[in-house]
Amino acid sequence: MLIEYGGLQAGDTVLLQGTGGVSIFGLQFSLMAGARAIITSSSNAKLERAKALGAWQTINYSEAPDWDKAALELTGCGVDHVLDVGGAATMGKSITSQSPIIPKETLIQLLQTHPDVAAMILQKGLVQL
């Protein structure tokens, strides 16, 4: 998904939530594509293991509950991709951690598939077209 549908490429930054199998798999694909990976967890030991596996940066969301803002600070402009495994509980912060420049095609697809999320993005001014 990250590469084929997300357009992940070298130099991009990916935010991966948690240190479970899906996120670690995402970490491996991100590194394979030449992207920088930021990974979140509530466990410093797991974050250290993620660093050893190649994570560029880590965020302990217990220590930094506003992990979306922490991701913005680390990148200076927001992440390019998020592998959101938390669903509704983390969707808002996943969106606000991203770069505010969203391709029109992505916004159109989001409007067609998730109009409520697209409306939130537009209302909060999170997009520059």
Side-chain angles (χ1 to χ4, degrees):
M1 294 289 288
L2 282 172
I3 295 171
E4 186 174 344
Y5 296 108
L8 178 67
Q9 56 190 339
D12 285 355
T13 304
V14 181
L15 177 66
L16 304 153
Q17 295 175 351
T19 53
V22 172
S23 294
I24 296 300
F25 199 55
L27 172 62
Q28 292 169 332
F29 269 95
S30 299
L31 296 173
M32 181 181 67
R36 301 184 307 175
I38 301 171
I39 200 156
T40 67
S41 178
S42 61
S43 165
N44 286 327
K46 290 180 180 180
L47 291 173
E48 284 303 314
R49 283 193 293 257
K51 277 278 230 190
L53 290 171
W56 172 63
Q57 296 286 342
T58 61
I59 301 170
N60 184 318
Y61 59 79
S62 290
E63 297 170 4
D66 291 330
W67 50 264
D68 53 334
K69 293 177 182 154
L72 286 169
E73 288 175 17
L74 288 171
T75 61
C77 62
V79 300
D80 301 298
H81 308 272
V82 178
L83 183 56
D84 187 310
V85 297
T90 56
M91 181 66 73
K93 288 186 179 192
S94 291
I95 291 169
T96 56
S97 70
Q98 292 184 304
S99 169
I101 300 170
I102 295 177
K104 282 191 283 190
E105 296 81 12
T106 302
L107 186 58
I108 290 168
Q109 183 180 17
L110 202 52
L111 281 166
Q112 292 170 343
T113 58
H114 295 84
D116 53 332
V117 174
M120 182 185 78
I121 292 170
L122 292 170
Q123 287 172 349
K124 290 189 175 188
L126 301 174
V127 134
Q128 294 175 355
L129 298 174

